[in-house]
Amino acid sequence: TICPLLHEHFTSWLTDHNMPSKPFKIKSNGPTIQCNFTELRESELNNNPALSGKINNQILVFLEDTTKLAQQAQHLKLASLATLTAGIAHEIRNPLGAISHAAQLLLESPDLNNADLKLATIIQQHSIRMNNIIENVLYLSRRKKPIPTLFDLNRWLDTFLNSFKESYSKPCDIRIEPPRLEPPHDVVTINMDSSQLSQVLTNLMENGLRYSKQETGDATLTLRTGRKQESELPYIQIHDDGPGISAEQRTHLFEPFYTSEPKGTGLGLYLARELCEINHARLDIKLDMDTSEAPTAGCCFEIIFPHPKKKLQHEEQVS
């Protein structure tokens, strides 16, 4: 009754002690758990026929959050991949720069007809897209270790939003819930590299504003901050008014180079999750607790931060 999935694994283990247990999730957007079982002592009932069928053994249950193990495996994979991709990226960048420069010179020619102008524009646009992919791949290869610090998420968010709106340079409406009428704000302390959090939020907010604009005609977003009731872990949610994400898209959403946008690189969400994971935070789509489905209106991404008192792997002392 406490955890049916765990009970299923336990029943399977009772049938066959040698059967390996498969990792599972209690919630669709929760951590992956590996469970194992062992007997604390040998049964004294085996040699007593009168007590046959009765179980009096004590069972020890191991529950392991495999998130950190998955992170370590991912980092090892990226480390080996970075050496190869960095070399390839540099080799591609040189001819790509020549192609882009030639297309730019063509666009400046007064003798181009409309058809040739369109072709030169296509070359220029795809050169820019390829360069963005190269930049993201190079970023993976030279990614810096995070320097997490303790700070108030709400106060930092006010400063970040002012900077974001200045750089976004398009009309947008970004709401914060619950509304903060006047300081002092509710303090939500998090432990993360603020520059990497800025990269993650910039990517998520630009995506959300673009999809809201496509769906409703207005670039709108809603940000929510707080602490989880069951765990006291701080979080931030980014909710847009776009068309939402299908179940099929959700299974591939954070895979590298997966994109539904013709001009997208497919690396934005992948990099965002990577930056969260190296800071021990978790980025995922917030699903309805009752149906395990995404909300019908728009899409909501959620970052759940580690407990502010947790000592992180790369943390440095900050006065």
Side-chain angles (χ1 to χ4, degrees):
T1 56
I2 295 174
C3 180
L5 278 174
L6 182 59
H7 180 259
E8 289 180 14
H9 284 77
F10 180 62
T11 304
S12 298
W13 177 80
L14 288 176
T15 305
D16 182 3
H17 287 12
N18 296 320
M19 181 180 296
S21 166
K22 294 182 180 180
F24 63 94
K25 290 185 177 183
I26 301 298
K27 300 177 181 178
S28 56
N29 59 346
T32 303
I33 297 172
Q34 176 74 46
C35 66
N36 289 289
F37 310 91
T38 188
E39 292 178 297
L40 287 179
R41 62 172 181 263
E42 292 292 328
S43 173
E44 298 177 357
L45 309 178
N46 293 335
N47 298 323
N48 192 337
L51 298 177
S52 177
K54 296 185 178 180
I55 299 177
N56 196 31
N57 292 16
Q58 293 184 354
I59 307 298
L60 184 62
V61 182
F62 293 91
L63 297 177
E64 180 182 7
D65 182 353
T66 62
T67 304
K68 187 175 181 180
L69 186 62
Q71 290 173 357
Q72 292 173 343
Q74 184 72 354
H75 293 165
L76 288 173
K77 182 175 67 175
L78 287 175
S80 59
L81 184 63
T83 304
L84 175 64
T85 54
I88 295 175
H90 282 297
E91 290 298 321
I92 294 176
R93 173 175 278 178
N94 291 332
L96 183 64
I99 294 170
S100 178
H101 184 62
Q104 187 175 351
L105 292 176
L106 277 175
L107 288 171
E108 296 173 357
S109 173
D111 301 327
L112 278 185
N113 57 40
N114 290 335
D116 291 338
L117 183 64
K118 184 177 180 180
L119 291 175
T121 302
I122 292 174
I123 294 173
Q124 184 73 349
Q125 289 176 344
H126 284 275
S127 296
I128 293 172
R129 179 171 180 262
M130 283 298 300
N131 187 67
N132 289 337
I133 294 176
I134 291 172
E135 287 294 330
N136 286 328
V137 170
L138 288 175
Y139 174 79
L140 281 175
S141 66
R142 56 175 180 248
R143 185 179 59 194
K144 297 179 180 179
K145 290 182 178 180
I147 305 177
T149 56
L150 288 170
F151 59 92
D152 177 13
L153 175 61
N154 285 333
R155 187 180 294 274
W156 176 89
L157 191 59
D158 289 337
T159 304
F160 167 77
L161 287 178
N162 289 333
S163 175
F164 177 85
K165 290 177 181 177
E166 290 176 359
S167 61
Y168 190 66
S169 70
K170 297 178 183 178
C172 62
D173 179 18
I174 302 175
R175 303 178 294 273
I176 299 180
E177 293 183 357
R180 302 197 292 273
L181 300 179
E182 60 182 18
H185 305 322
D186 181 27
V187 176
V188 178
T189 303
I190 66 170
N191 193 11
M192 186 168 178
D193 188 312
S194 59
S195 65
Q196 293 181 344
L197 177 58
S198 177
Q199 289 179 262
V200 173
L201 285 184
T202 297
N203 178 274
L204 295 176
M205 290 171 60
E206 286 181 347
N207 285 349
L209 290 171
R210 182 173 68 255
Y211 284 114
S212 294
K213 179 73 173 178
Q214 292 175 3
E215 183 73 6
T216 66
D218 296 317
T220 55
L221 272 183
T222 301
L223 304 181
R224 303 183 185 93
T225 62
R227 302 180 192 85
K228 293 292 182 180
Q229 292 183 353
E230 66 277 11
S231 61
E232 288 294 316
L233 294 180
Y235 69 86
I236 182 170
Q237 297 171 357
I238 303 94
H239 192 286
D240 63 54
D241 298 310
I245 298 177
S246 66
E248 172 64 22
Q249 289 175 319
R250 291 203 306 272
T251 59
H252 304 288
L253 197 59
F254 294 100
E255 294 177 1
F257 302 107
Y258 174 79
T259 179
S260 59
E261 288 287 316
K263 298 181 180 180
T265 64
L267 286 171
L269 288 177
Y270 172 74
L271 287 173
R273 174 173 273 189
E274 282 292 309
L275 289 174
C276 285
E277 287 187 349
I278 63 175
N279 282 274
H280 295 245
R282 191 166 71 245
L283 168 63
D284 217 322
I285 301 176
K286 187 177 186 331
L287 302 177
D288 189 286
M289 295 298 293
D290 298 324
T291 63
S292 295
E293 293 292 334
T296 54
C299 175
C300 182
F301 284 93
E302 181 178 60
I303 303 173
I304 301 178
F305 302 96
H307 196 282
K309 292 184 179 180
K310 178 181 179 180
K311 183 70 174 178
L312 302 186
Q313 183 177 359
H314 304 298
E315 188 172 354
E316 297 184 1
Q317 294 295 327
V318 178
S319 59

